[in-house]
């Protein structure tokens, strides 16, 4: 008598597909449970990754290597930054570029001379050192930046909010504002600053013109773009460079720290939502196990006939295990497709780049295989242990 042949992988796969095709409604409902869990994980990770990619793009554009030096904040009054602050900063090794602004206390800008000063204090004015938009990663919406010379002729550049308040969106040869009891040419309008929103409602002027309006010559803030690989050392040397005798009087901050903190918050939120997706995935796995147990009970007669015809216990066990794996895999593929679709749709609606990590897709499909195997072990083992006589007696 010849030995019974064990079913090969191809035979098991065909049997598994056939078993699922005979119960399409139950297969769809069971696979849907897995799909929801996988889709939730993919969508959560994908949307969070896309959000961080958009934030990283902003940070790359603005620069995480921009430092701001101002008067130190404390309980005691500290002296203003020295007039040489910007020049001193530019001499430091880690510094790539620097610019500064200084508040012109008596400088106020109006749309025309007919606005009573008692009703409006006008728009604030800042004297400028260097190319402030260039250092801060900003840009000019219309016109140009100020002439670099300290003794440049009277001219102004408007921050985005200041221009909006003055009703100016574009500049030409006839665009002027009223300040210092005279008309002054507007040479540019800026785009909003991402790293220094407080500058959007200011008007920038050359230092020479600011001095004529009573500017004391001291910068109130020095913006410095440093070597990205040497930010920590730059923060240590800037205060001493600006005020060698009293570096404690200078505070150095990084405006992008707030954006970086948002990125860290997003990481924590992603972990929470991935956990929720994992719970949904577990529920889907329980649904698969339940489906396979019911399938075994319904197919006792089939198992008995196959055992009576010589099928090994291992063959029966492997058949039901393959069905469980196929069921979970179908749910996993559907979940990945749904999750990617949700991620793409949401990211495009927000104007974000689409960024779904490959590990999330591979991990999602891998999780379905593991869940399918674990969920199918008990039903498959139970099917293999059914005695042929008791199975056939139920026919």
């Amino acid at each position: 008598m010849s030995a019974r042949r064990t079913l090969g992988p191809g035979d098991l796969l065909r049997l598994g597909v056939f078993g699922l095709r005979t119960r399409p409604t139950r297969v769809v409902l069971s696979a849907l449970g897995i799909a929801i869990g996988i889709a939730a994980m993919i969508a959560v990770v994908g949307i969070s990754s896309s959000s961080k990619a958009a934030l990283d793009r902003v940070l790359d554009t603005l620069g995480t290597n921009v430092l701001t030096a101002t008067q130190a904040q404390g309980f005691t009054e500290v002296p203003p930054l020295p007039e040489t602050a910007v020049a001193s900063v530019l001499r430091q090794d880690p510094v790539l570029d620097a610019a500064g602004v200084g508040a012109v206390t008596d400088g106020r800008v109006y749309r025309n001379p007919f606005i009573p000063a008692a009703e409006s204090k006008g728009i604030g004015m800042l004297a400028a050192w260097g190319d402030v938009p260039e250092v801060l990663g900003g840009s000019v919406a219309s016109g140009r930046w100020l002439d670099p010379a300290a003794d440049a002729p009277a001219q102004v550049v408007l921050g985005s909010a200041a221009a909006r308040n003055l009703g100016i969106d574009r500049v030409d040869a006839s665009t002027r504002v009223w300040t210092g009891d005279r008309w002054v040419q507007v040479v540019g309008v800026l785009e909003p600053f991402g790293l220094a929103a407080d500058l959007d409602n200011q008007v920038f002027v050359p230092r020479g013109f600011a001095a004529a309006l009573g500017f004391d010559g001291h910068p109130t803030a020095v913006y410095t773009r440093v070597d990205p690989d040497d930010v920590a050392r730059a923060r240590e040397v800037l205060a001493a460079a600006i005020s060698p005798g009293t570096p404690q009087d200078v505070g150095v901050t990084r405006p992008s720290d707030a954006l970086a903190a948002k990125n860290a918050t997003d990481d924590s939120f992603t972990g929470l939502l991935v956990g929720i997706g994992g719970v949904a995935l577990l529920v889907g796995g329980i649904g698969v196990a339940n489906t396979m147990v019911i399938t075994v009970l319904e197919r006792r007669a089939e198992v008995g006939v196959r055992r009576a015809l010589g099928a090994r216990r291992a063959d029966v066990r492997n058949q039901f295990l393959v069905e469980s794996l196929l069921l979970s895999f179908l749910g996993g593929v559907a979940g990945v497709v749904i999750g990617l679709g949700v991620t793409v749709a949401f990211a495009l609606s927000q104007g974000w780049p689409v960024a779904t990590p490959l590990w999330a897709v591979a991990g999602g499909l891998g999780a379905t295989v593991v869940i399918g195997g674990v969920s199918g072990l008990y039903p498959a083992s139970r099917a293999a242990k059914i005695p042929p006589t008791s199975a056939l007696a139920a026919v």
Side-chain angles (χ1 to χ4, degrees):
M1 184 175 180
S2 60
R4 290 176 293 179
R5 184 175 66 88
T6 302
L7 294 177
D11 298 324
L12 287 172
L13 182 60
R14 283 190 293 272
L15 280 173
V17 173
F18 176 78
L20 295 181
R21 288 177 60 187
T22 58
R23 296 163 179 81
T25 302
R26 184 172 295 162
V27 166
V28 170
L29 293 177
S30 299
L32 185 61
I34 289 289
I36 291 174
I38 294 295
M41 292 184 66
I42 296 294
V44 166
V45 174
I47 291 173
S48 299
S49 298
S50 298
S51 174
K52 288 191 289 186
L55 181 59
D56 290 340
R57 185 170 62 182
V58 172
L59 289 174
D60 289 340
T61 302
L62 300 177
T64 57
N65 58 329
V66 174
L67 303 178
T68 301
T70 58
Q71 289 177 270
Q73 302 297 316
F75 295 103
T76 60
E77 185 176 353
V78 297
L81 300 181
E83 298 181 23
T84 58
V86 176
S88 299
V89 165
L90 284 169
R91 289 195 292 267
Q92 307 308 306
D93 290 336
V95 174
L96 303 178
D97 198 2
V101 295
V104 183
T105 305
D106 297 328
R108 292 292 168 178
V109 178
Y110 300 89
R111 186 68 181 90
N112 56 60
F114 306 110
I115 299 176
E119 295 182 8
S120 172
K121 294 183 179 180
I123 295 175
M125 181 183 295
L126 296 175
W129 284 257
D131 194 333
V132 176
E134 176 70 19
V135 174
L136 289 176
S139 60
V140 179
S142 177
R144 59 175 176 81
W145 180 243
L146 299 170
D147 290 337
D151 58 349
Q155 56 190 275
V156 302
V157 170
L158 307 178
S160 60
R164 184 169 59 252
N165 293 334
L166 292 170
I168 299 173
D169 55 0
R170 298 185 60 82
V171 298
D172 54 36
S174 62
T175 307
R176 301 180 302 171
V177 291
W178 183 263
T179 183
D181 296 328
R182 57 183 289 191
W183 288 104
V184 179
Q185 178 72 37
V186 178
V187 298
V189 174
L190 301 178
E191 296 283 2
F193 283 107
L195 289 179
D198 56 307
L199 299 183
D200 291 338
N201 198 35
Q202 298 292 326
V203 174
F204 303 88
V205 299
R207 281 175 288 151
F209 178 48
L213 298 176
F215 177 51
D216 61 6
H218 294 279
T220 51
V222 178
Y223 305 104
T224 308
R225 188 171 291 272
V226 302
D227 185 345
D229 298 325
D230 212 4
V231 175
R233 187 170 74 92
R235 296 182 78 163
E236 295 176 358
V237 303
L238 285 184
I242 293 173
S243 182
T246 54
Q248 68 275 9
D249 291 342
V250 180
V252 180
T253 61
R254 184 166 60 174
S256 58
D257 281 344
L259 298 180
K262 180 181 181 299
N263 203 353
T265 302
D266 287 344
D267 286 339
S268 301
F269 191 61
T270 299
L272 172 63
L273 295 182
V274 168
I276 296 174
V279 172
L281 194 60
L282 177 61
V283 172
I286 294 173
V288 171
N290 182 58
T291 297
M292 295 309 299
V293 169
I294 295 175
T295 299
V296 169
L297 295 175
E298 289 180 342
R299 296 164 66 184
R300 288 171 61 89
E302 174 192 333
V303 172
V305 171
R306 290 194 57 212
R307 290 293 310 281
L309 293 176
R312 298 171 181 267
R313 284 189 174 186
D315 293 332
V316 175
R317 182 186 65 243
N318 291 340
Q319 175 190 345
F320 282 90
L321 188 58
V322 166
E323 288 186 20
S324 179
L325 289 171
L326 286 173
L327 183 59
S328 296
F329 181 74
L330 290 174
V333 171
V336 168
V337 172
I338 295 172
L340 289 176
V342 171
T343 298
V344 171
F346 189 84
L348 293 180
S349 69
Q350 299 296 316
W352 298 343
V354 179
T356 301
L358 181 60
W359 65 262
V361 177
L365 289 176
T368 62
V369 174
V370 173
I371 288 175
V374 172
S375 302
L377 278 177
Y378 172 72
S381 299
R382 181 172 178 175
K385 293 177 181 179
I386 297 176
T389 54
S390 64
L392 291 174
V395 179

